Amino acid sequence: METNSIKIKITIDGKEIFLDEELSILDAARQNNIHIPTLCHHPDLSAWGGCRLCLVEVDGSPRLAASCVTPVRNGMEIISANEKIIQARRTILEFLFAERNHNCMFCPESGDCELQNLAYELQMDHLTASSSFDKFPTDMTSPVMAFDHNRCVLCGRCVRACREISGARVLDFIHRGPKNLIGFDLNETRENSTCHSCGVCLQVCPTGALSNRYRSHYSVKGHDQKDWHKIESFCPLCGLLCPTTSIVHDNNLLKVEAKINQDRPDRGQLCVKGRFEVLRTKGQRLTHPIIQNKNNTWENTTWENAFDLVGKKLNQIASTNGGDAIFGLVSSYCANEHLLLFKDLMTNGWESGYIDTFDGHDFRTIQKAWERLDGQWQEASWEMIPKADFILMMGATPYQSQPVIHSLIHRSILENKTRVASIGNNDHPLPFATWQLPINNGEESLLTKAMLIKALDLVKDPFRTTHWKNIYKETKDIVLADIINKLGLDEKGFKIFHDILKSFSASLNPLIITGQGLTGLKDVSGFHDTINMSLLKGFISENVMRIIILKPCGNSAGAWQLGISSPKAPSRSNDWKGGLLLLSGEEAFSHEFSNHINDLDFLGVISPFFPLPLDNKADIIIPIPLWMEEDGTYTAMDGHENVFKRRVLSPPDNVRDTRQVLTALAKKAEFYNQNKPEDFP
Amino acid sequence: MKLPKIASVWLEGCAGCHMSFLDLDEGLLDILAKVELTDSPITDYKDFNFQDLELGIIEGGIANEEERQIAKKLRKQCKILMAWGDCAVFGGINTLRNSFSTREILQRGYIETESTVNGFIPVHESLPALLEKALPVNSTVRVDVYVPGCPPSPDAIAYCLTEILKGKIPVLPTDMMHFD
């Protein structure tokens, strides 16, 4: 139907309104600042017409119409509120209150509840109908969200958000009539369902049915919502840099909400990390520098002492053993500015012989593979996922590393019928993947080799670059059957293997998603073979390969692009005497040379938290703010853009900015004065 | 001049609404000068003899037999009945017990609680029997003025009292309404 040319005239409460398109009455009214109360309606979700609170009178009809689902018609005369309409709305609201337990006094969402606000607005000061007092279940199986069905009004927002925003389609209505509930999958608990805890249901829930287990609004009860600050920022925890709105009261982070946005391929969701984990306390915060004394106990020291001590110790090592005896390790969760300052401090301050990030190994694996290629090619952006018709997950566990990507793949399967092969040791396999092929630890490289050989056999008219000749040469003497035997694939396993590769070779727009499962391995051939396999199907567009590499840390791409990670692995002969670690509080401290730091003369740690696995190795710990307490730029996982992330909280009193700490250390460093640029103040 | 008589009672509640009333501070003096307060929780009558009241006030819900009778007695003797607080208006926190039987509640409270040794459920003629469900006041008697809130703010209480003394039946305005 051609609607663009229609010019519609309607009247709301006597006001004439002209419209170019066929909106709902509700949208037309809201565009003209006419207030109509709603409950099940949400601007980012499809209209549903379930709650009937948006009733209006149309053309004097005795039957009121739900404005959210009634389209405007030329000449329509609408009354948005009169005594009868308000009475109807209040009665509906009373029924909603009476149906289940809506006692605000013991609800964690009181003060942040749309149902409650409606009751105030409509002056619902009591219930005429008696409450049912029926008992409904409560699902507390998830560590991050509670679902109290007693507080549910069955508005269906969560069901629509789960389908339309997250695409997971976990939630739906179950049972009938007064027993109607929101259910997970086929009436599972949340923990046993396919829910990946993105929390979009919680964000759109208008009542206390869904609540955040890490924070309750009780923490600010009695305070006015107008004291809440909404701060727009980004989540830097995995490299997707999802836009967020943080709600802060009195320097307390109350909640983090996604900016629902239909333009982003993920439609603006968040994941369990960005929405929930950020609220969890991850360790003991430090507010003073502490030093370890001779009895292996920690004591407070002043900032000046701390900087002096680090300077003195490292200067000593530098003058006796030279810069090669000093190393610097930094977390790839740090902002670009901190990474650069740290590298500058280590190289110019102490002429440090070795600087690396904790994910340096992954960097080197990828770097080596890139060097073998004969073109300036880029990896694909994660935003390509919805366009793929075949996805091979090889050594990638986005459920843990980039949950929004997991969600995107999940949705691609359900919405686009994308065929997905999930290969590897995956604790949270995609429940609807077309193929699952579990493999044993240590056999990843064998399997990728087998896949490459099979793909060479199956892909018709492979994309031929000069590099292709190398691939062919390297593999022509290997017998596939031998590898299959070594892998111990049974008949069923081999059929899956065969089907995956057949589908890969027949696909028009395949994507391979890989990650730490391959880049983190000692044996780099698995990653190389995977790259080679992707090349057989050519490029997505000029220079853009059919491969997405999931990065281990939030700002890995930034650290790698800025050259912070070392191109060389640390050698065992490296005679380290002392060094500095810069932590962000997000990383798990595991590095291939964590063994090297056992017998050092001096180890300084800069960290927001008391760094537990290192506490008996460090000599001094200098506190810094958390990422959410500092501004900084971060680089997106695919390396294509940098985003400036505003801070959402102030650091604790006393704690100095990371830039302040690193600059203060530079002033104490032996060579900094010699190495500084001439125009340095 | 004869002052209008007022009585307030404390049923299944925590006395928080009366505390909120006391929080009117010096505002109390203005109101008390205009009324005769015949009963309130501090009069501590063991039996009530309400007579010709202009206004009866109930704090708390109806959860046992005695409370039901007091509510009925008060309703008969007052022209206007006002319910104070979430318990009187909606049932409030008492309704948490409504998903269990009274038997289960008493068993849990007097016998099974972790700190109880040799517990028993007390039975005495002076102890009123629990009703099967804790309910709001309007489940038992007609209520004219509702002041929800846990507790209602002193402003909300003062507003309603003043309006009633002016001869009006107030409905709490949106900005004074809160349920928590």
Side-chain angles (χ1 to χ4, degrees), chain A residues 22 80 135 161 226 262 275-276 309 394 582 592 607 660:
Chain A
E22 212 174 65
S80 75
K135 195 177 173 184
K226 64 176 186 283
Q262 307 287 349
R275 196 190 294 270
F276 297 107
L309 182 79
M394 189 69 223
L582 176 61
E592 52 205 300
S607 163
Q660 250 179 311

Side-chain angles (χ1 to χ4, degrees), chain A residues 525-597:
Chain A
S525 71
F527 182 72
H528 292 185
D529 289 340
T530 307
I531 294 254
N532 290 340
M533 189 176 149
S534 86
L535 283 172
L536 297 180
K537 293 295 283 184
F539 295 84
I540 294 177
S541 56
E542 199 191 348
N543 293 343
V544 180
M545 298 165 76
R546 298 195 172 277
I547 194 153
I548 293 173
I549 305 166
L550 304 185
K551 308 293 185 302
C553 306
N555 199 25
S556 291
W560 299 356
Q561 276 186 355
L562 294 170
I564 312 295
S565 308
S566 167
K568 284 182 307 188
S571 69
R572 289 246 161 223
S573 59
N574 226 339
D575 203 9
W576 289 346
K577 296 278 182 225
L580 263 188
L581 303 182
L582 176 61
L583 309 178
S584 79
E586 293 296 331
E587 60 288 304
F589 184 77
S590 65
H591 191 274
E592 52 205 300
F593 37 63
S594 51
N595 290 333
H596 290 263
I597 61 170

Side-chain angles (χ1 to χ4, degrees), chain A residues 103 105 110 120 123 125 127, chain B residues 89 95 138 150 172 174 179-180:
Chain A
N103 273 299
M105 58 194 307
S110 183
Y120 297 168
Q123 289 180 282
D125 63 358
L127 301 179
Chain B
V89 174
T95 58
N138 70 351
C150 187
L172 212 55
T174 295
F179 292 165
D180 57 357

Side-chain angles (χ1 to χ4, degrees), chain A residues 331-349:
Chain A
S331 160
S332 291
Y333 282 99
C334 292
N336 289 329
E337 292 81 353
H338 303 157
L339 292 167
L340 283 174
L341 275 178
F342 184 76
K343 186 173 182 182
D344 179 60
L345 167 70
M346 298 313 293
T347 20
N348 287 331

Side-chain angles (χ1 to χ4, degrees), chain A residues 97 101-106 110-111 116-117 119-128 130-135 221, chain B residues 86-87 89-93 95-96 98-100 133-136 138 146 148 150 171-174 177-180:
Chain A
F97 266 83
N101 175 356
H102 295 290
N103 273 299
C104 305
M105 58 194 307
F106 48 92
S110 183
Q116 187 183 51
N117 290 343
Y120 297 168
E121 180 189 329
L122 295 168
Q123 289 180 282
M124 191 206 80
D125 63 358
H126 70 286
L127 301 179
T128 319
S130 167
S131 295
S132 77
F133 300 119
D134 285 343
K135 195 177 173 184
K221 234 179 166 182
Chain B
D86 275 2
C87 298
V89 174
F90 298 115
I93 201 154
T95 58
L96 275 177
N98 289 356
S99 35
F100 307 94
K133 286 199 173 11
L135 294 170
N138 70 351
Y146 297 89
C150 187
V171 174
L172 212 55
T174 295
M177 190 120 81
H178 63 95
F179 292 165
D180 57 357

Side-chain angles (χ1 to χ4, degrees), chain A residues 272-499:
Chain A
V272 67
K273 292 187 193 185
R275 196 190 294 270
F276 297 107
E277 292 295 317
V278 291
L279 299 171
R280 196 163 60 87
T281 313
K282 295 192 176 71
Q284 186 198 337
R285 271 311 282 278
L286 293 171
T287 50
H288 288 90
I290 50 173
I291 46 175
Q292 187 157 213
N293 59 26
K294 289 194 181 77
N295 321 323
N296 289 341
T297 53
W298 290 94
E299 56 186 48
N300 287 350
T301 184
T302 63
W303 289 90
E304 204 47 37
N305 273 347
F307 298 142
D308 272 341
L309 182 79
V310 176
K312 205 178 83 191
K313 291 281 189 179
L314 290 181
N315 289 345
Q316 232 165 42
I317 297 172
S319 51
T320 337
N321 306 74
D324 279 348
I326 295 176
F327 68 93
L329 279 183
V330 55
S331 160
S332 291
Y333 282 99
C334 292
N336 289 329
E337 292 81 353
H338 303 157
L339 292 167
L340 283 174
L341 275 178
F342 184 76
K343 186 173 182 182
D344 179 60
L345 167 70
M346 298 313 293
T347 20
N348 287 331
W350 292 292
E351 296 180 346
S352 165
Y354 194 81
I355 298 160
D356 198 11
T357 53
F358 297 116
D359 57 2
H361 179 80
D362 301 80
F363 166 72
R364 289 184 282 277
T365 307
I366 297 167
Q367 193 70 2
K368 265 181 222 151
W370 244 243
E371 280 163 10
R372 288 157 44 111
L373 301 177
D374 52 3
Q376 288 295 313
W377 300 328
Q378 294 171 4
E379 58 194 280
S381 159
W382 59 275
E383 301 189 2
M384 294 295 165
I385 291 172
K387 294 181 184 136
D389 62 347
F390 173 92
I391 294 173
L392 174 70
M393 314 250 296
M394 189 69 223
T397 43
Y399 188 90
Q400 283 144 8
S401 55
Q402 278 83 7
V404 168
I405 288 188
H406 177 91
S407 166
L408 263 183
I409 299 169
H410 190 130
R411 193 170 73 204
S412 276
I413 298 172
L414 297 177
E415 285 181 7
N416 309 341
K417 311 236 168 357
T418 308
R419 283 154 303 149
V420 173
S422 172
I423 297 175
N425 230 348
N426 201 340
D427 290 341
H428 299 276
L430 278 154
F432 305 118
T434 327
W435 305 280
Q436 312 266 6
L437 189 57
I439 46 170
N440 300 326
N441 281 337
E443 289 180 352
E444 294 88 348
S445 309
L446 265 182
L447 185 72
T448 48
K449 185 71 76 193
M451 296 187 89
L452 176 64
I453 291 166
K454 188 81 183 166
L456 273 166
D457 184 29
L458 284 176
V459 174
K460 290 191 185 93
D461 190 21
F463 191 86
R464 285 166 199 265
T465 63
T466 42
H467 180 64
W468 185 79
K469 281 181 204 146
N470 294 340
I471 304 174
Y472 192 74
K473 234 183 274 166
E474 277 173 28
T475 51
K476 73 176 182 350
D477 295 331
I478 304 172
V479 182
L480 181 62
D482 292 350
I483 306 183
I484 299 293
N485 271 343
K486 262 192 220 164
L487 281 168
L489 278 186
D490 57 8
E491 202 175 318
K492 201 176 137 207
F494 183 73
K495 189 177 180 317
I496 294 173
F497 171 83
H498 183 83
D499 288 351

